[in-house]
Amino acid sequence: MTDIDLSTIETERDRIRSAYLKPGGTSTARGLHHTALLCSDVERTVRFYQEVLGFPLTEMVGNRDYAGSTHFFFDIGNGNLLAFFDFPGLDLGPYAEVLGGLHHLAISVEPERWEELKASLAEHGVEFQEESGTSVYFRDPDGARIELIADPLGEMYGLKVL
């Protein structure tokens, strides 16, 4: 691991913040339609997201870009979808965090639902890590890191991020 100069990093962060931060700005987008992840087993993924996390499967179709692949969607609330593809026959390797790849996906849930979901993760033997009293991190069946956060949309740990 390369040594880092935290003071230099903070100075650069301040420079970028001063130059580009636009709180309350207007986006050209309407919102996140869906985020698409890869999975190795469609049924295992459906069972995990629907039965463990309570995200209803809303549609399942053939992938128009790869014959034999399935494209399927889960409702994660507020008009947002989490989608998956499988790619049978491609022999994809195990999940890896790489530059340009997924670090984690944070999904906002109501605080009481957050407690229920932690219990569901424990009941199903899913290892998780709780942080700051409002976040729980775990890995899905293929290793993608998921965060369930009890903070409202647009807020994170007491900060307004929207």
Side-chain angles (χ1 to χ4, degrees):
M1 183 170 192
T2 306
D3 289 335
I4 57 174
D5 179 345
L6 295 177
S7 177
T8 300
I9 290 171
E10 186 57 39
T11 298
E12 180 65 359
R13 189 178 296 136
D14 286 341
R15 182 192 68 76
I16 294 170
R17 187 182 296 116
S18 294
Y20 299 103
L21 193 67
K22 295 182 180 183
T26 303
S27 176
T28 58
R30 293 189 294 190
L32 182 67
H33 186 281
H34 70 274
T35 296
L37 304 178
L38 301 178
C39 75
S40 61
D41 183 312
V42 172
E43 185 172 8
R44 180 180 69 174
T45 301
V46 168
R47 292 185 67 179
F48 182 80
Y49 282 92
Q50 185 161 272
E51 294 176 9
V52 177
L53 298 178
F55 303 159
L57 179 69
T58 62
E59 184 58 276
M60 181 178 283
V61 297
N63 178 359
R64 66 176 183 224
D65 301 325
Y66 183 82
S69 171
T70 302
H71 192 191
F72 53 106
F73 301 84
F74 297 94
D75 179 356
I76 58 170
N78 206 40
N80 296 291
L81 297 166
L82 178 58
F84 285 86
F85 289 104
D86 70 332
F87 289 113
L90 287 187
D91 299 324
L92 300 175
Y95 177 83
E97 290 181 3
V98 297
L99 288 178
L102 176 73
H103 180 267
H104 74 275
L105 180 64
I107 300 171
S108 177
V109 296
E110 293 291 334
E112 57 277 355
R113 187 74 179 121
W114 186 79
E115 292 292 344
E116 293 169 4
L117 290 171
K118 280 194 323 182
S120 180
L121 290 168
E123 176 184 323
H124 288 88
V126 177
E127 292 182 26
F128 62 87
Q129 178 180 351
E130 185 176 332
E131 292 290 335
S132 305
T134 59
S135 288
V136 61
Y137 293 89
F138 56 93
R139 295 200 179 267
D140 83 351
D142 285 297
R145 188 186 331 241
I146 308 296
E147 174 188 10
L148 298 177
I149 186 167
D151 291 339
L153 293 171
E155 295 181 23
M156 189 174 78
Y157 310 136
L159 296 172
K160 293 281 187 186
V161 294
L162 177 63

